[in-house]
Amino acid sequence: VLLAAYVGYLGMGAAVLQALERPVEVQVAQQLLREYLGLLANHSCLREPVLQRLMEGIIQAYKSGITLQGNTTSLGRWDYSGSFFFSISAVTTIGYGNLSPSTAVGRIFCIVFALFGIPLNLFLLNEIGQLMLLGVQHCAHRLEEIFHWQNKASFLMKTCALVTGLLLFLLLPPLLFSDKEGWSYEEGFYYSFITLSTIGFGDYVIGMNPDRTYPSWYKNVIPLWILFGMAWLALVIRFCISILE
């Protein structure tokens, strides 16, 4: 029964996503084909194989973090801050996919780095989660002593922890992303949840817009937000699992 419910849930999700996203996909594909054929028709000096190679080169360069800006190219995804952010996305298993090692030595190092980094990250997240849980339990115990509450204190502190976590990790960060990245609030909220849940699609990643200048503290604060946010969301998910069980 559980397996059937699981497969049914996935099937329902697939059907809804297909209904929502498929028309947009078809529309974008048709628009791209029209522009491609129009470019070839209006510029007869262009040959289709040459244009195809240029497009493939641009796509490959973009995957490596290189974009065209006039007559120059923008670099910077593999500077120290970009490499540090990639290290975080690797050991936290977020794996945005917008950046990956292109050398054989880099890929081998990434395997070894993640092999030891993932257990270290899980151990750290578990310790942070336990500290959060102990803090909530301590506050609930103090309320019971002061106001002589029994079950109310525990429920009140769990509610406060949930609301505080929602504000700090999901509801307020999109305002920062809207200011620094130019995203809408919905896009920032979407990025926050996709990141903290370690889904990491990679369609939205902070600090990757070459047209924007980011303050130095920005990429230093985001890793802390990711670590504590993942620990908080893990506690929420654990609570949801206990309810399901």
Side-chain angles (χ1 to χ4, degrees):
V1 173
L2 180 60
L3 179 61
Y6 178 75
V7 174
Y9 188 78
L10 294 179
M12 180 271 294
V16 172
L17 288 171
Q18 182 184 22
L20 294 174
E21 300 295 333
R22 183 65 174 178
V24 178
E25 181 187 38
V26 173
Q27 182 180 358
V28 171
Q30 291 174 347
Q31 177 67 21
L32 177 62
L33 184 59
R34 282 195 299 268
E35 293 181 359
Y36 178 75
L37 296 176
L39 183 63
L40 289 175
N42 296 328
H43 300 81
S44 57
C45 59
L46 283 175
R47 296 181 179 179
E48 187 172 355
V50 176
L51 181 59
Q52 189 70 29
R53 285 198 300 271
L54 176 62
M55 292 172 59
E56 292 174 356
I58 292 174
I59 293 172
Q60 187 61 38
Y62 181 78
K63 289 180 179 179
S64 301
I66 302 170
T67 56
L68 286 172
Q69 291 181 323
N71 294 326
T72 62
T73 56
S74 67
L75 301 174
R77 288 194 179 183
W78 282 116
D79 57 6
Y80 187 79
S81 61
S83 302
F84 186 80
F85 193 72
F86 171 80
S87 300
I88 294 174
S89 69
V91 300
T92 56
T93 69
I94 295 174
Y96 289 114
N98 67 313
L99 191 62
S100 58
S102 58
T103 63
V105 178
R107 290 167 181 162
I108 294 173
F109 173 78
C110 186
I111 293 172
V112 177
F113 179 75
L115 185 64
F116 292 95
I118 291 174
L120 178 62
N121 175 75
L122 292 175
F123 179 73
L124 176 62
L125 289 181
N126 183 64
E127 291 298 311
I128 293 175
Q130 291 299 322
L131 285 176
M132 289 180 175
L133 194 59
L134 286 175
V136 171
Q137 292 174 347
H138 177 73
C139 291
H141 183 66
R142 292 291 297 171
L143 286 177
E144 288 178 359
E145 291 180 345
I146 296 173
F147 298 101
H148 304 288
W149 292 342
Q150 295 298 325
N151 297 327
K152 290 183 179 180
S154 178
F155 176 77
L156 179 62
M157 288 311 304
K158 287 180 180 178
T159 303
C160 290
L162 178 62
V163 172
T164 303
L166 280 173
L167 288 173
L168 290 178
F169 302 121
L170 288 179
L171 298 180
L172 293 180
L175 299 176
L176 175 65
F177 299 142
S178 297
D179 178 57
K180 300 303 179 184
E181 304 291 342
W183 299 341
S184 66
Y185 185 85
E186 176 270 328
E187 290 171 331
F189 183 82
Y190 168 79
Y191 166 77
S192 299
F193 181 80
I194 293 299
T195 294
L196 297 184
S197 61
T198 72
I199 296 173
F201 288 124
D203 47 354
Y204 290 92
V205 183
I206 60 102
M208 295 300 175
N209 190 342
D211 298 326
R212 288 184 171 269
T213 301
Y214 300 99
S216 58
W217 57 266
Y218 184 55
K219 284 191 175 181
N220 296 325
V221 169
I222 298 302
L224 294 176
W225 167 74
I226 290 176
L227 283 176
F228 285 92
M230 285 178 62
W232 170 80
L233 192 58
L235 290 177
V236 174
I237 293 174
R238 189 184 304 174
F239 177 70
C240 293
I241 291 174
S242 65
I243 293 177
L244 288 174
E245 289 179 341

